[in-house]
Amino acid sequence: MESLMTLRARASPSPLQQRRLPGRQRATPVRATAAGEPDLSVRVNGLQMPNPFVIGSGPPGTNYTVMKRAFDEGWGAVIAKTVSLDAEKVINVTPRYAKLRAEPNGAAMGRIIGWQNIELISDRPLETMLNEFKQLKKEYPDRILIGSIMEEYNKAAWHELIERVEESGVDALEINFSCPHGMPERKMGAAVGQDCDLLEEVCGWINEKATVPVWAKMTPNITDITQPARIALKSGCEGVSAINTIMSVMGINLKTLRPEPCVEGYSTPGGYSARAVHPIALAKVMQIARMMKEEFADGQSLSAIGGVETGNDAAEFILLGADTVQVCTGVMMHGYPLVKKLCAELQDFMREHNFSSIEEFRGASLPYFTTHTDLVHRQQEAIKQRKAIKKGLQSDKDWTGDGFVKETESMVSN
């Protein structure tokens, strides 16, 4: 396999192209500026960020106070909690979270590996949120604030929401086509992201009105995530974000026999996030990245989401082709200072491989995904070349009872 240094030498930036609409620019690469120190800055769809770490839409971006804290701590950008025109229709319940720990049912001390929420979008009045957006942009004019929006199946409503949110001064829009609970009942969220015909129509409405970059946030609760991602990009969106939470039932309390999170003795399926979803998110991001590389050449961006708690988690997403990496549940568990740890660990990774900028290794691992049929062919060819050197078992008949564990280990890659 080629080394990462070889890949670095062959790395090339995405093509640059500016949209006809003012302010809507494609992704451009940023090179290192400080000699000897890895540069984390990125420029995505014309938006300059000090690092690729973005507060994902949710509780960490729910009001002025917490978004200000995010900027003060050094996050590259903030995506506010999703807003709609009529916040009075949004009624949350408590409790609305449940945790999965790496211990038996009911254990209270194990590491948190999964997190479920049944929380809805912002229940604060739209005008309140917009005023806070304006205040944030006044105080942090050079920082990137992205508005997350969702609306019912109504063109006029979408256009009104886009106009009002843009007037607040946000730098971009992320469209929530992926909330898995509550909102689909009103033909919102995942109800749109799971219906490609509906998605195409709504994306058309959005992109004929928006004058800032638009990211479409994808749902993983679909057979082939590349289909809605492709439609969103073909319909004019500058980028896609993936993944939103995975529909789940967190568990059953074996003492009370009631589901979690338990609200007056009852529950409902919700969105699953945190560390346990990371491998699933990697697969979905890889699929989207391959599709984008093969079918789009105008610098459309990819924002990766799913189980990021370390700089190495982020590096994996970037190696698959992500321009930015969003964190939501990680902030809820570890706090806003997490960004300093993420930046330090990502820079450590870059130093290890002598990368000076994010662009130098973005997408470097993507070429090494193939089909199982191709894997078989590659291994057969490798076996021929190795000849007498035996690596692992060649057939099921070679398994033995006495050496079962060692034989298993001989075929593990990590």
Side-chain angles (χ1 to χ4, degrees), residues 22 26 80 83 89 109 120 140 155 164 188 202-203 246 255 279 343 355-356 366 381:
R26 300 299 185 185
V83 297
K89 295 181 180 180
M109 300 303 292
L120 304 181
Y140 302 89
K155 181 177 181 179
R164 292 177 66 181
M188 300 167 71
V202 176
C203 279
I246 301 169
K255 293 182 179 179
C343 287
F355 294 135
S356 60
L366 199 59
E381 290 300 313

Side-chain angles (χ1 to χ4, degrees), residues 60 75 273-274 307-309 327-336 338:
W75 288 86
S273 59
V308 173
E309 296 182 29
V327 186
C328 182
T329 306
V331 178
M332 297 171 71
M333 294 193 297
H334 304 294
Y336 292 91
L338 175 65

Side-chain angles (χ1 to χ4, degrees), residues 32-330:
T33 56
E37 187 71 10
D39 181 14
L40 296 182
S41 66
V42 295
R43 187 175 180 83
V44 183
N45 303 128
L47 308 176
Q48 182 68 43
M49 305 179 193
N51 60 68
F53 296 108
V54 178
I55 290 286
S57 181
T62 197
N63 60 44
Y64 165 83
T65 301
V66 297
M67 289 187 280
K68 174 180 171 61
R69 176 67 184 276
F71 283 139
D72 289 341
E73 290 290 347
W75 288 86
V78 173
I79 302 178
K81 193 173 186 183
T82 303
V83 297
S84 62
L85 290 176
D86 189 358
E88 291 184 357
K89 295 181 180 180
V90 181
I91 302 175
N92 277 300
V93 295
T94 300
R96 50 183 175 265
Y97 308 133
K99 303 172 182 177
L100 179 67
R101 298 181 183 271
E103 297 293 340
N105 184 290
M109 300 303 292
R111 179 189 176 192
I112 298 171
I113 59 172
W115 185 285
Q116 187 200 35
N117 84 87
I118 55 173
E119 185 163 306
L120 304 181
I121 63 175
S122 178
D123 57 10
R124 305 178 71 220
L126 176 61
E127 198 59 36
T128 299
M129 291 291 284
L130 297 182
N131 288 335
E132 294 183 357
F133 294 169
K134 293 176 183 177
Q135 184 63 29
L136 284 164
K137 287 304 297 181
K138 180 179 179 181
E139 295 180 22
Y140 302 89
D142 298 327
R143 304 301 292 278
I144 301 303
L145 176 62
I146 300 174
S148 175
I149 63 175
M150 180 197 295
E151 196 42 69
E152 297 186 16
Y153 180 65
N154 183 298
K155 181 177 181 179
W158 273 106
H159 280 192
E160 178 185 350
L161 180 60
I162 290 168
E163 182 175 354
R164 292 177 66 181
V165 174
E166 283 195 1
E167 286 176 350
S168 72
V170 298
D171 300 284
L173 296 172
E174 183 179 76
I175 315 300
N176 190 336
F177 289 133
S178 46
C179 183
H181 48 269
M183 311 318 291
E185 299 164 11
R186 294 167 52 194
K187 211 170 186 179
M188 300 167 71
V192 180
Q194 293 169 331
D195 185 331
C196 288
D197 291 335
L198 191 60
L199 177 68
E200 184 174 20
E201 183 177 18
V202 176
C203 279
W205 298 345
I206 292 167
N207 286 293
E208 70 182 32
K209 182 67 176 178
T211 62
V212 296
V214 173
W215 297 355
K217 190 171 184 178
M218 300 287 99
T219 175
N221 304 300
I222 191 168
T223 302
D224 182 359
I225 198 170
T226 66
Q227 292 185 8
R230 179 182 296 107
I231 285 174
L233 295 173
K234 284 186 175 181
S235 298
C237 294
E238 278 72 25
V240 294
S241 307
I243 60 175
N244 206 328
T245 53
I246 301 169
M247 182 64 84
S248 67
V249 170
M250 180 54 78
I252 306 297
N253 185 312
L254 297 184
K255 293 182 179 179
T256 66
L257 311 185
R258 300 299 179 98
E260 301 286 359
C262 193
V263 181
E264 311 303 334
Y266 292 81
S267 191
T268 187
Y272 191 51
S273 59
R275 182 64 190 170
V277 311
H278 188 64
I280 299 171
L282 286 172
K284 300 294 185 182
V285 167
M286 179 273 292
Q287 292 166 355
I288 294 174
R290 290 184 69 184
M291 179 273 293
M292 290 176 65
K293 184 177 181 180
E294 293 170 0
E295 301 179 25
F296 295 89
D298 294 336
Q300 287 88 345
S301 64
L302 175 56
S303 188
I305 315 164
V308 173
E309 296 182 29
T310 70
N312 287 342
D313 296 333
E316 290 181 307
F317 276 133
I318 297 170
L319 284 164
L320 291 179
D323 297 277
T324 58
V325 178
Q326 296 186 29
V327 186
C328 182
T329 306

